[in-house]
């Protein structure tokens, strides 16, 4: 058997490195999202299994911010803000309307400001990070059920936070727009040839 040369070993190491880096690049976004959701890092809201048993007298004003990136749709909160007690479960509703003449697939991401409130602003129900298909002219209503964990009132960093902004942004679901255009193009060509 022929012994591998140093050039062959270098080539194998480089190929393995490229494959590893490619895999790491694809895994980076979902792993980062998971890390942020678990830790509340960078103002990311955490997912909770149940509401707290304790409700404090202290209140906090929750503001809702809505944004759309590159989509023909309107997106708004039914209420601009809500005042809730720390530990109380709140629910907010958001309306999304597809203003185009074709289906769109959108995904919502979110964050919380100030960032130090991120670990304590927790959601029980949310439409975020799930692709939504909205038909032409359709309006959909999405609920978000949330609470501010009582531990925020005793945390030295976040104690005294009186206002939290929950910001959502809808953006095109990756790959959906290209697939829709590919479906439309052959149909458009066929109808043009028939006419």
């Amino acid at each position: 058997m022929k012994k591998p040369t140093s050039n062959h070993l270098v080539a194998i190491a480089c190929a393995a490195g490229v494959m590893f880096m490619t895999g790491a690049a694809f895994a980076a976004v979902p792993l980062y999202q998971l890390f942020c959701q678990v830790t509340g890092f960078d103002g990311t809201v955490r997912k909770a299994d149940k509401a707290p048993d304790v409700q404090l007298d202290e209140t906090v004003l929750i503001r809702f911010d809505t944004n759309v990136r590159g989509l023909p749709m309107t997106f708004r909160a039914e209420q601009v803000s809500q005042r809730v007690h720390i530990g109380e479960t709140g629910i907010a509703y958001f309306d999304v309307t597809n203003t185009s003449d074709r289906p769109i697939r959108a995904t919502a991401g979110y964050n919380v400001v100030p960032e130090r409130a991120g670990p304590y602003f927790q959601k029980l129900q949310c439409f975020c990070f799930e692709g939504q298909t909205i038909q032409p002219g359709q309006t959909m209503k999405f609920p978000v059920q949330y609470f501010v964990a009582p531990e925020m009132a005793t945390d030295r960093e976040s104690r005294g936070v009186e206002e939290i902004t929950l910001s959502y942004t809808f953006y095109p679901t990756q790959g959906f727009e290209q697939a829709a255009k590919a479906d439309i193009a052959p149909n458009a060509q066929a109808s043009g040839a028939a006419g």
Side-chain angles (χ1 to χ4, degrees):
M1 183 169 173
K2 190 174 179 182
K3 189 175 182 182
T5 65
S6 61
N7 288 344
H8 286 106
L9 293 176
V10 169
I12 291 169
C14 288
V18 167
M19 289 191 309
F20 174 77
M21 295 304 285
T22 302
F26 281 105
V29 171
L31 288 175
Y32 180 74
Q33 287 176 346
L34 178 64
F35 170 76
C36 290
Q37 288 175 5
V38 169
T39 64
F41 179 75
D42 200 26
T44 301
V45 180
R46 297 170 87 178
K47 176 120 171 93
D49 295 326
K50 67 181 192 93
D53 298 325
V54 177
Q55 189 176 116
L56 306 181
D57 290 335
E58 188 177 344
T59 63
V60 62
L61 182 68
I62 309 299
R63 293 191 182 278
F64 303 106
D65 175 51
T66 56
N67 304 283
V68 176
R69 297 281 184 264
L71 288 167
M73 61 189 284
T74 60
F75 176 36
R76 69 174 190 83
E78 290 188 356
Q79 290 181 283
V80 176
S81 63
Q82 295 176 347
R83 183 166 293 279
V84 295
H85 289 272
I86 294 178
E88 174 187 4
T89 299
I91 189 163
Y93 292 95
F94 295 82
D95 296 327
V96 177
T97 301
N98 178 349
T99 58
S100 75
D101 59 356
R102 61 188 169 84
I104 58 175
R105 182 127 171 106
T107 304
Y110 59 83
N111 70 346
V112 167
V113 176
E115 289 181 11
R116 66 185 188 271
Y120 303 107
F121 191 97
Q122 299 185 21
K123 58 184 173 52
L124 295 163
Q125 178 184 1
C126 184
F127 56 91
C128 37
F129 295 121
E130 295 176 7
Q132 310 291 340
T133 301
I134 307 159
Q135 298 302 321
Q138 182 183 21
T139 297
M140 297 179 76
K141 185 185 299 275
F142 296 108
V144 173
Q145 193 173 21
Y146 68 91
F147 63 88
V148 178
E151 293 80 11
M152 187 177 88
T154 57
D155 183 329
R156 200 172 59 144
E157 292 290 319
S158 59
R159 186 175 50 221
V161 170
E162 297 177 359
E163 189 175 301
I164 297 172
T165 300
L166 176 62
S167 182
Y168 280 99
T169 301
F170 261 111
Y171 53 90
T173 300
Q174 193 170 21
F176 181 79
E177 292 298 317
Q178 294 82 355
K181 286 177 185 172
D183 287 343
I184 290 169
N187 294 338
Q189 289 171 355
S191 63

